[in-house]
Amino acid sequence: MKALILTITVTALALSVCSAALRAADLPRAEEKQIEALIAAIERMADTTFIRNGRSYGAAAAAEFLRRKWRHREAEVGSADDFIEKVASFSSTTGQPYLIRFSDGRETPCAIFLRTELSSLRKKEQ
């Protein structure tokens, strides 16, 4: 019985890993590169603060969080636009928008910042 449970557990884990790999493979490489570029843009913003659920985070922590959340929700993300809308705009726990606070105290929703970045990326690619 223990061997059967172990076999079922290992099989389920293997299917889960394969399923995640297939979902990641479904994302066009160009879209994946754009998402990584968006995350990198946040990561480079050393003089800003990322606000999530009322708490402040540095640029590196924000980038790490967005990468983890993206990987966790990758089945829902088929494009950089999806990434912005479904991952990087708001907390899926509280519904609060993510904000970026600049060194001058000005705040902007992360979604607006990322849409502007994505537009710039796409113009450069043309």
Side-chain angles (χ1 to χ4, degrees):
M1 184 64 157
K2 287 182 182 179
L4 177 60
I5 292 172
L6 180 59
T7 301
I8 291 170
T9 303
V10 169
T11 303
L13 180 60
L15 288 173
S16 175
V17 169
C18 289
S19 175
L22 287 173
R23 283 191 310 267
D26 289 343
L27 183 65
R29 181 69 183 129
E31 295 292 332
E32 185 176 357
K33 286 176 68 174
Q34 288 178 347
I35 293 168
E36 278 297 339
L38 293 174
I39 295 171
I42 288 178
E43 198 166 29
R44 287 189 304 270
M45 298 172 59
D47 61 339
T48 62
T49 304
F50 183 78
I51 311 296
R52 179 171 57 95
N53 296 328
R55 295 191 60 202
S56 300
Y57 298 88
E64 180 181 333
F65 169 77
L66 289 173
R67 281 189 185 100
R68 278 195 325 264
K69 186 175 177 186
W70 172 30
R71 294 300 174 206
H72 183 261
R73 301 187 71 183
E74 68 187 342
E76 301 170 42
V77 178
S79 67
D81 294 297
D82 285 349
F83 170 77
I84 293 169
E85 290 301 317
K86 298 175 181 179
V87 174
S89 293
F90 62 91
S91 168
S92 47
T93 304
T94 66
Q96 291 182 333
Y98 298 144
L99 302 172
I100 295 176
R101 181 179 300 141
F102 296 91
S103 58
D104 63 3
R106 177 177 49 94
E107 291 182 353
T108 190
C110 189
I112 291 173
F113 172 81
L114 291 174
R115 281 190 199 102
T116 302
E117 283 293 311
L118 183 57
S119 178
S120 294
L121 283 170
R122 288 178 173 160
K123 285 179 185 173
K124 289 178 187 175
E125 291 172 356
Q126 293 177 347

